[in-house]
Amino acid sequence: MAKDAIKLLPKSPLERRRKLWYMNLGRFQNDDDGEYDPWEVTKPGTCSICKDLDPIGQNGGFVEGELSVTRLVSEFPQSAANTGCRFCYLLAEGIASQAEDLVAQNAMVRLSAKVGGCVIVSEDTTAKEFEDRIVLEFYSPKGRSPVLQTIPTLPEISSRAGDDQCFELIKHWLGICSREHQCCVMSTPSLLPKRVVHVGSSQASPFLYESKREQGAYLALSHCWGTSQPFTTERSTIEQRKACIHWDSLPKTFQDAIIVARKLGVSYLWIDSLCIIQDDLEDWQVESSQMAKIYANAHMTIAALSASSDTAGFISSRGYPSSMLSLPSGNETDPPSHVGVRRTLHLHNSGPLSGPHCNLFERAWTYQERLLSRRVLYYSDQEISWECRGATYCECGSYEPSKFSWEDDFSMRLHQAYAVLHGKESRVKFTSSHDMYDWWRHSAVSDYRRRKLTKESDRLPALSGLATAFQALTGDTYLAGLWAGDLLHGLLWSSSENGRLPPEYRAPTWAWPSVDGGTFFIIEGLGKRNQNISWFSKKIAASCTPAGSDPTGAVKGGHTTLYGPVTHSELMISDLQNGKTAKSQLVYELFIKDEPVESKQTIYIHRPNYLSPSFSPDTVLVGGDGLLAEGEIEDTVESEHQEQGKVKTQRTVRRSRLLPDDPRPAVRGTVLLLLLMSSKDTSRNADDSPCYRFLVLGRSTTVAGAFERIGLLTFVDFPWEHHGRDIHAVARMAEVTIV
């Protein structure tokens, strides 16, 4: 009888598959003849494959497992003998509609479902970064009842970023922020910047407006310029821009920003490349120094998140449309439920800005733009999202603003920035000025330093706005990326092996911007619990000379004078020749010249690693002639200097512009070790030796009697301590000027 019934099933494979699912809600049992009978259903049970997508009763309220796409899409649907689970059907249909490449690859996927979350199917591979994997989410369309507690109700994403639905959502977010977020509301009306773009209307062309510093609301644009700047304001074009800006001459990103301003009813828009005269150095220095105020006072900042250049634009069709599936109800008389499936845009509650397609976040200039803005509207190629001092929202609705995620590291740092820069209410509180400086070193500088610049000479100007805001809060003196009140901590930075000397002067050698390449601070949590810190040196003086009118911008000189224990040493580095010596086999030797004769020894130091002593050179090091001050007599040679005539010099070690793999001769020269501090983690073994950190200094090749930083040296156990002496037995206290 059952076999005859099977003959009555529809001939269409898809309809046959659906018919079988309607008939079979549980697992099948064997007939007397040993065959599976789809008409005879056992007592409904939980599917062993997908657990009915129901976390209740599962381990920790979480369903997780590995699934074969081939079996889900092919075997399960076509053979009622395997399963009659309507939820497996849902997974199979969703994968088939949204991830055909997974079907073609016979891929394995990970299934996860939890109470209050989403059903997630993700590509199970270690060959890709997680953000590049295919991840699908299942949801109930807004306005319909959820099918399961693990399938939440989420809004649909507009097919195009310029749809009215998107602008209504933006107005909704803006209304919530204006009414409910006191931390986002300005205490006094904002003033217009010196120049803004009047956005005009559909009947009137936009033009460049020179304000009288009157009150007015304006939007600001954060964007990637690209490799070329097709449309800027220069001295030769400013009068033309003030008269009229023809729509067709504007690049797509600028057009889209103007459309947003018009839709939101805001008359003015600030765009850096249009509102700053690009070939007028004085205007550029003055206006770029106002970045902190411009972005902080803007009504909202538009961030063209995925646009790689000004010609790309950001109002476009979305990449991954959703699919609407029919989930069998289990009863042929009841209508099926509707479930949506789409590629997830970001990890749930990790923040809508944590995924790929974020070209803007790779650029250095946009770092301060994000931190300084009160509200930011992001346009990615998949959705719009919102970030302000009070909340984060996204168009897909997957991120719940009430559930602030501490796992989203940048979000945590962002809210730290709000606390530091604005003194407003924040989810993160600072208990001391040390916490604020710690944020600057380990969050602001570390994040910023990883970003790219078209012109490396902008390294300090692109941080000027953030420095200005931080200075207004602390009242401290800014020193080319460091702070006078935190100088000793700020000197404890090290450079990765690809560090190199800039082609032109950037900053004094003791400041991190003096080196191009990845730079990071190595000391975490100084002054925190379980850290026993001893400072051996102190600051006598420090200053920098601005290169222009911006006191927190580019510099043309600077020095610091420190007082502490110093010892003269000889640094020797083996040669590096093509095909003969591997970079990893370079030998660094240190000979303490000030040590008593009976205990003199050569110390082999390691490049950055966990061994002691460990040496982190700022760049590839080479030999050079350092200038001695009048009266210094050690190891001197009289030579002719290009600028200072006959001078006394000493063979020393200096930085270079060589790349790590470039061949170079062996190096031997005199260096100075200046002991800065020691630290000991008291949570570990009390007998552990403290960690000592020295600045390694070479004689300056430009300023007689001064020194230049060449690296950072770490000792855990001094070699001379075996002879019963401490640092003071081999060092003398002296003032040292570093340029």
Side-chain angles (χ1 to χ4, degrees):
M1 177 123 172
K3 294 177 182 177
D4 293 335
I6 290 180
K7 295 178 183 178
L8 299 176
L9 290 174
K11 294 182 179 181
S12 164
L14 180 60
E15 289 301 318
R16 180 184 177 89
R17 184 192 321 171
R18 289 175 175 164
K19 184 75 173 179
L20 286 170
W21 255 296
Y22 280 128
M23 298 187 301
N24 303 287
L25 302 181
R27 287 174 292 187
F28 292 82
Q29 63 180 13
N30 285 335
D31 244 349
D32 292 338
D33 57 4
E35 297 182 0
Y36 285 101
D37 187 345
W39 291 101
E40 295 185 20
V41 183
T42 63
K43 181 180 179 180
T46 301
C47 174
S48 61
I49 305 298
C50 71
K51 308 295 188 299
D52 290 355
L53 304 180
D54 185 5
I56 299 298
Q58 306 300 325
N59 184 25
F62 194 88
V63 175
E64 185 172 19
E66 188 176 58
L67 303 174
S68 165
V69 172
T70 304
R71 296 190 69 195
L72 270 177
V73 177
S74 301
E75 296 179 27
F76 292 154
Q78 293 175 8
S79 175
N82 284 322
T83 183
C85 177
R86 64 191 184 123
F87 301 112
C88 283
Y89 161 77
L90 180 69
L91 297 176
E93 294 286 284
I95 293 173
S97 66
Q98 285 287 319
E100 293 181 357
D101 37 354
L102 293 184
V103 180
Q105 297 167 12
N106 297 326
M108 298 296 293
V109 295
R110 301 295 302 178
L111 165 69
S112 66
K114 62 181 179 178
V115 176
C118 284
V119 174
I120 300 293
V121 174
S122 60
E123 188 176 3
D124 189 18
T125 175
T126 57
K128 299 179 181 179
E129 295 294 332
F130 189 83
E131 59 266 21
D132 294 327
R133 299 180 190 178
I134 296 173
V135 182
L136 305 181
E137 65 180 1
F138 293 80
Y139 64 97
S140 296
K142 201 168 185 178
R144 303 191 185 189
S145 299
V147 178
L148 292 170
Q149 58 183 334
T150 49
I151 301 184
T153 300
L154 298 175
E156 293 285 359
I157 300 175
S158 297
S159 60
R160 192 173 185 277
D163 290 349
D164 289 341
Q165 177 182 336
C166 286
F167 287 110
E168 290 303 315
L169 183 60
I170 296 168
K171 293 175 182 177
H172 174 67
W173 291 338
L174 185 57
I176 293 175
C177 181
S178 300
R179 292 190 307 270
E180 301 179 8
H181 301 162
Q182 291 301 313
C183 54
C184 300
V185 178
M186 294 188 63
S187 56
T188 57
S190 61
L191 303 179
L192 292 178
K194 181 177 181 179
R195 301 183 192 94
V196 286
V197 175
H198 191 294
V199 299
S201 65
S202 56
Q203 289 80 34
S205 297
F207 61 92
L208 188 64
Y209 173 67
E210 289 195 336
S211 75
K212 303 173 180 62
R213 303 291 185 176
E214 67 267 33
Q215 294 180 1
Y218 64 95
L219 305 183
L221 176 65
S222 180
H223 62 116
C224 290
W225 286 34
T227 54
S228 63
Q229 292 79 52
F231 199 82
T232 60
T233 295
E234 299 176 346
R235 284 178 289 187
S236 61
T237 60
I238 185 170
E239 294 303 322
Q240 177 186 344
R241 302 278 186 264
K242 289 162 63 176
C244 176
I245 299 177
H246 295 289
W247 184 259
D248 292 340
S249 66
L250 286 166
K252 183 67 166 58
T253 296
F254 294 1
Q255 290 179 349
D256 289 349
I258 290 174
I259 290 172
V260 173
R262 288 176 178 177
K263 287 283 189 178
L264 298 181
V266 180
S267 299
Y268 301 107
L269 173 67
W270 190 87
I271 304 176
D272 52 0
S273 52
L274 284 183
C275 298
I276 300 176
I277 304 175
Q278 297 300 310
D279 60 350
D280 187 325
L281 180 59
E282 181 180 356
D283 188 74
W284 191 90
Q285 290 176 343
V286 171
E287 293 305 303
S288 63
S289 69
Q290 300 298 310
M291 290 284 194
K293 293 181 180 179
I294 290 172
Y295 282 96
N297 293 341
H299 188 59
M300 184 175 68
T301 295
I302 304 167
L305 200 61
S306 57
S308 58
S309 69
D310 288 339
T311 59
F314 55 84
I315 295 180
S316 59
S317 299
R318 267 61 186 277
Y320 299 113
S322 61
S323 300
M324 197 57 60
L325 309 177
S326 295
L327 177 65
S329 64
N331 186 332
E332 287 194 81
T333 61
D334 294 335
S337 301
H338 295 283
V339 177
V341 59
R342 63 193 178 200
R343 296 196 182 191
T344 186
L345 306 186
H346 47 81
L347 298 181
H348 296 268
N349 275 341
S350 65
L353 306 174
S354 59
H357 316 295
C358 299
N359 294 310
L360 200 66
F361 290 164
E362 298 177 359
R363 309 305 302 173
W365 275 102
T366 63
Y367 180 76
Q368 64 177 5
E369 295 168 7
R370 181 182 186 185
L371 292 184
L372 294 170
S373 299
R374 292 183 294 148
R375 309 178 181 103
V376 186
L377 175 65
Y378 294 96
Y379 278 86
S380 74
D381 56 1
Q382 297 174 322
E383 69 169 344
I384 56 172
S385 51
W386 171 281
E387 187 176 61
C388 67
R389 299 171 192 170
T392 303
Y393 307 111
C394 62
E395 186 180 354
C396 72
S398 297
Y399 182 76
E400 298 180 37
S402 60
K403 295 184 178 180
F404 178 77
S405 173
W406 294 99
E407 296 176 359
D408 181 2
D409 190 51
F410 193 90
S411 288
M412 182 177 70
R413 294 178 180 186
L414 182 70
H415 286 278
Q416 286 177 327
Y418 293 155
V420 170
L421 301 176
H422 307 290
K424 296 280 188 177
E425 288 297 318
S426 170
R427 297 180 175 96
V428 179
K429 302 294 184 182
F430 289 101
T431 58
S432 67
S433 60
H434 177 271
D435 287 344
M436 296 165 60
Y437 288 122
D438 192 65
W439 172 83
W440 177 267
R441 282 181 270 112
H442 299 304
S443 291
V445 171
S446 295
D447 289 341
Y448 171 76
R449 202 64 185 82
R450 289 191 288 267
R451 297 190 174 214
K452 302 172 185 176
L453 281 164
T454 302
K455 297 188 293 183
E456 279 292 336
S457 58
D458 286 346
R459 182 60 65 185
L460 281 171
L463 194 63
S464 173
L466 201 59
T468 299
F470 193 91
Q471 187 177 54
L473 185 70
T474 62
D476 202 357
T477 300
Y478 186 61
L479 299 170
L482 284 71
W483 296 95
D486 186 56
L487 184 62
L488 294 180
H489 284 90
L491 295 174
L492 293 168
W493 57 271
S494 64
S495 176
S496 58
E497 292 189 8
N498 62 345
R500 60 196 182 279
L501 195 65
E504 297 177 350
Y505 182 86
R506 181 82 45 74
T509 61
W510 41 268
W512 57 263
S514 64
V515 174
D516 284 345
T519 306
F520 56 96
F521 291 100
I522 64 170
I523 307 298
E524 292 283 351
L526 287 180
K528 300 289 182 67
R529 186 173 55 184
N530 299 329
Q531 284 285 339
N532 188 359
I533 308 296
S534 297
W535 291 98
F536 292 88
S537 295
K538 64 179 181 179
K539 180 192 72 174
I540 301 300
S543 68
C544 286
T545 304
S549 58
D550 184 2
T552 57
V555 300
K556 60 182 180 182
H559 77 278
T560 184
T561 300
L562 305 178
Y563 179 76
V566 299
T567 179
H568 290 82
S569 305
E570 190 168 27
L571 179 62
M572 293 157 282
I573 310 172
S574 60
D575 67 337
L576 181 63
Q577 302 296 333
N578 284 333
K580 294 184 179 180
T581 307
K583 181 180 65 174
S584 60
Q585 296 174 331
L586 280 175
V587 178
Y588 289 78
E589 301 172 73
L590 193 67
F591 186 72
I592 309 297
K593 298 169 69 173
D594 291 336
E595 194 173 7
V597 174
E598 69 272 12
S599 61
K600 283 185 181 295
Q601 60 179 296
T602 297
I603 305 169
Y604 290 92
I605 56 179
H606 311 272
R607 290 184 304 150
N609 53 30
Y610 295 103
L611 300 176
S612 175
S614 176
F615 179 50
S616 299
D618 294 340
T619 69
V620 171
L621 301 178
V622 297
D625 293 325
L627 304 181
L628 276 70
E630 192 68 30
E632 291 187 283
I633 59 174
E634 52 177 312
D635 300 335
T636 59
V637 175
E638 191 168 77
S639 60
E640 189 73 23
H641 190 269
Q642 184 176 359
E643 297 178 358
Q644 303 186 28
K646 287 188 176 182
V647 294
K648 291 182 178 180
T649 62
Q650 180 185 59
R651 196 62 183 168
T652 190
V653 182
R654 61 182 178 84
R655 296 172 174 179
S656 77
R657 297 190 180 97
L658 294 176
L659 299 176
D661 292 318
D662 287 346
R664 66 258 191 190
V667 176
R668 183 167 187 160
T670 298
V671 297
L672 192 70
L673 304 184
L674 171 63
L675 176 60
L676 283 181
M677 54 82 71
S678 69
S679 62
K680 184 175 181 179
D681 189 345
T682 57
S683 64
R684 299 180 180 177
N685 190 334
D687 296 329
D688 286 351
S689 299
C691 182
Y692 296 88
R693 289 184 170 85
F694 296 79
L695 287 183
V696 184
L697 309 172
R699 287 280 185 180
S700 174
T701 58
T702 58
V703 180
F707 292 83
E708 297 174 2
R709 173 184 157 137
I710 62 171
L712 193 68
L713 177 66
T714 301
F715 272 108
V716 174
D717 186 17
F718 287 132
W720 49 79
E721 287 182 340
H722 297 297
H723 299 276
R725 296 188 308 279
D726 61 13
I727 179 63
H728 299 289
V730 293
R732 59 185 177 85
M733 301 298 291
E735 285 190 8
V736 179
T737 297
I738 312 171
V739 295

